[in-house]
């Protein structure tokens, strides 16, 4: 991916720049800080240019009146990363900060480095290139009641001209719970327009005893339909394989393009995974649709009967928090409405232990 000629070749002109945000305690007291209920601007950049790096501190809430897990949840999902291009009022990126960096299961992910994002000690870094023609605005929205200490910066490079073939980066987040059995076939992601998908990250949690070790959860055909076609263009025969793994999610592995950066196979059952694409992006001209379909699992017929009995008793709930990353020819996306903050920060949004 890193071509030595491009790294070593000297340029006629250098157009590198950077913009700071948050840390008003040093040379720039005029910087906006990440105060409770406020939106903090990190960068406003005129185009044409390309964002090459986004860095943010991790955050720590000190409040003895709430649990450690609540403090962690607020610091990860109470802060929303938004990126706007070309003065569009609709953000192209709207994702809770921790989920954008695949720090799944409320910050339990181990430190990892991928080609595009990383969780470093006490910080996050994003290396996804984000070109734009007219303008870019990068902000953090603090939806908590706490003033938080933050230092963020955005690095960018000005372009001499705009290339119409460049796409605009987008990312979106969705959290939802559903009952999983042999009849489950759910749309996970859909986008209209022209572009290509470069990655996804999932944070999955459940306290259903039948799903220990992610039994059956790891199955499900990952069906990708392009431009409205009836049959899937790509049909990965198992979720674990679609992320680059086999025989379930056995242990932590952090690769450059795919990883399991956290897994707990017992109670509660928790998983944080990511999969990115470099030269093998999935392109679309009109639309892309991704579904996970558990209806064809022939090896699990008897197990599916057990699931159906449990479903009738309001069991077999599983919780997915999903982030998708892609480029598109236009700017803005119709993001799912974020659930209320007190629900967003729960480790498991729908418990199976509340039922009998």
């Amino acid at each position: 991916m890193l071509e030595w000629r491009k790294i070593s070749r000297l340029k006629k002109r250098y157009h590198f720049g950077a913009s700071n945000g948050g840390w008003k305690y040093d040379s720039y007291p005029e910087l906006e800080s990440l105060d409770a209920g406020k939106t903090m601007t990190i960068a406003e950049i005129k185009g044409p240019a390309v964002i090459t790096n986004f860095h943010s501190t991790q955050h720590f809430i000190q409040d003895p009146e709430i649990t450690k897990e609540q403090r962690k949840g607020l610091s990860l999902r109470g802060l929303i990363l938004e990126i706007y291009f070309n003065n569009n009022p609709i953000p192209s990126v709207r994702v809770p900060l921790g989920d954008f960096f695949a720090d799944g299961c409320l910050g339990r992910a181990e430190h990892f480095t991928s080609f595009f994002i990383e969780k470093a000690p006490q910080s996050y870094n994003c290396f996804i290139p984000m070109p734009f023609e007219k303008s870019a605005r990068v902000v953090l929205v603090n939806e908590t009641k706490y003033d938080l200490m933050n230092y963020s910066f955005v690095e960018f490079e000005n372009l001499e001209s705009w290339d119409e073939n460049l796409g605009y980066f987008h990312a979106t987040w969705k959290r939802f719970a559903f009952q999983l059995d042999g009849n489950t076939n759910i749309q996970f992601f859909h986008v209209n327009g022209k572009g290509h998908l470069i990655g996804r990250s999932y944070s999955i949690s459940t306290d259903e005893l039948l799903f220990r070790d992610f039994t059956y959860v790891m199955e499900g055909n990952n069906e990708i339909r392009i431009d409205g076609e009836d049959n899937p263009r790509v049909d990965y025969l198992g979720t674990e394989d679609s992320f680059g793994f086999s025989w379930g999610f056995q242990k932590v592995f952090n690769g450059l393009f795919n990883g399991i950066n956290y897994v707990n196979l017992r109670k509660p059952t928790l998983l944080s995974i990511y999969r990115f694409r470099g030269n093998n992006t999935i392109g679309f001209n009109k639309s892309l649709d991704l579904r996970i379909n558990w209806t064809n699992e022939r090896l699990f017929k008897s197990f599916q009967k057990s699931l159906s009995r449990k479903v009738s008793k309001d069991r077999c709930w599983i919780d997915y928090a999903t982030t998708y990353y892609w480029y598109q020819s236009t700017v803005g996306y119709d993001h799912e409405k974020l659930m209320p903050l007190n629900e967003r920060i729960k480790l498991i949004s729908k418990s199976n232990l509340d039922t009998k």
Side-chain angles (χ1 to χ4, degrees):
M1 296 294 295
L2 296 177
E3 212 281 320
W4 68 268
R5 290 179 180 84
K6 292 183 179 180
I7 298 174
S8 59
R9 180 175 288 119
L10 300 180
K11 300 178 182 179
K12 293 181 179 179
R13 294 182 180 180
Y14 291 91
H15 303 282
F16 179 82
S19 178
N20 292 312
W23 198 256
K24 63 180 181 181
Y25 317 102
D26 202 317
S27 300
Y28 306 98
E30 71 277 8
L31 288 178
E32 297 179 17
S33 51
L34 195 57
D35 296 335
K38 301 293 185 180
T39 296
M40 181 187 79
T41 299
I42 303 167
E44 288 187 286
I45 311 165
K46 292 183 179 181
V50 55
I51 293 171
T52 56
N53 183 19
F54 165 59
H55 165 89
S56 175
T57 56
Q58 294 179 32
H59 305 90
F60 306 94
I61 293 172
Q62 307 295 331
D63 185 348
E65 299 299 319
I66 60 176
T67 67
K68 179 180 178 181
E69 191 155 284
Q70 288 173 321
R71 295 196 296 269
K72 194 69 173 176
L74 287 168
S75 67
L76 290 163
R77 289 184 172 159
L79 302 178
I80 311 301
L81 173 64
E82 294 183 346
I83 303 178
Y84 300 80
F85 295 119
N86 296 352
N87 299 312
N88 193 310
I90 301 173
S92 293
V93 174
R94 176 180 285 164
V95 183
L97 185 65
D99 291 272
F100 182 85
F101 289 97
D103 193 1
C105 304
L106 295 186
R108 287 171 169 80
E110 294 191 1
H111 296 143
F112 73 96
T113 295
S114 75
F115 197 80
F116 290 129
I117 58 173
E118 71 178 7
K119 179 183 179 180
Q122 317 303 329
S123 70
Y124 297 120
N125 295 294
C126 171
F127 310 106
I128 300 173
M130 306 180 194
F132 55 93
E133 181 182 12
K134 297 178 181 178
S135 66
R137 181 169 176 254
V138 181
V139 305
L140 279 178
V141 182
N142 184 355
E143 295 188 348
T144 79
K145 64 179 183 179
Y146 303 96
D147 295 339
L148 299 175
M149 296 185 73
N150 170 276
Y151 175 48
S152 298
F153 63 75
V154 170
E155 296 177 342
F156 60 93
E157 183 176 345
N158 295 111
L159 303 176
E160 293 187 359
S161 62
W162 176 248
D163 183 347
E164 294 293 339
N165 293 315
L166 294 174
Y168 291 89
F169 175 70
H170 289 69
T172 195
W173 184 79
K174 177 182 178 181
R175 186 179 187 182
F176 57 108
F178 56 90
Q179 289 176 284
L180 175 58
D181 65 5
N183 298 312
T184 303
N185 181 355
I186 293 182
Q187 182 187 72
F188 271 61
F189 175 63
H190 184 89
V191 59
N192 292 317
K194 177 180 176 61
H196 56 249
L197 183 71
I198 67 165
R200 54 179 169 149
S201 62
Y202 288 178
S203 177
I204 308 172
S205 58
T206 182
D207 54 13
E208 172 57 64
L209 298 180
L210 287 175
F211 295 150
R212 286 182 301 180
D213 300 324
F214 284 100
T215 299
Y216 196 67
V217 178
M218 64 188 179
E219 305 300 335
N221 293 357
N222 284 224
E223 302 173 347
I224 299 177
R225 290 172 171 82
I226 305 297
D227 298 340
E229 57 197 2
D230 293 330
N231 297 316
R233 180 79 57 89
V234 180
D235 193 356
Y236 297 103
L237 306 183
T239 297
E240 80 271 54
D241 295 279
S242 75
F243 277 83
F245 305 100
S246 295
W247 309 117
F249 303 100
Q250 297 296 324
K251 58 183 179 181
V252 167
F253 169 82
N254 295 318
L256 289 179
F257 289 96
N258 59 309
I260 304 170
N261 55 21
Y262 182 77
V263 61
N264 182 50
L265 296 175
R266 293 301 172 179
K267 180 183 175 182
T269 308
L270 304 172
L271 178 68
S272 176
I273 51 179
Y274 60 88
R275 166 76 193 276
F276 290 104
R277 298 173 174 275
N279 295 324
N280 60 336
T281 59
I282 302 176
F284 52 94
N285 288 310
K286 297 179 181 178
S287 66
L288 181 144
D289 186 89
L290 189 153
R291 305 182 69 88
I292 301 185
N293 181 358
W294 282 269
T295 64
N296 298 309
E297 303 299 333
R298 299 179 184 178
L299 291 177
F300 289 86
K301 291 299 182 183
S302 60
F303 186 74
Q304 288 174 341
K305 292 179 181 179
S306 299
L307 293 178
S308 296
R309 288 193 294 269
K310 295 292 186 180
V311 165
S312 67
K313 298 180 180 180
D314 199 29
R315 292 274 299 275
C316 297
W317 287 96
I318 188 159
D319 179 357
Y320 278 74
T322 64
T323 304
Y324 293 89
Y325 314 80
W326 76 99
Y327 288 96
Q328 195 169 331
S329 60
T330 55
V331 298
Y333 179 73
D334 186 16
H335 301 273
E336 290 273 341
K337 184 179 180 180
L338 294 174
M339 62 175 57
L341 182 56
N342 64 325
E343 294 294 323
R344 199 186 314 157
I345 66 173
K346 291 181 178 179
L347 181 62
I348 297 175
S349 64
K350 177 65 176 179
S351 175
N352 295 279
L353 303 182
D354 298 335
T355 59
K356 296 182 180 180

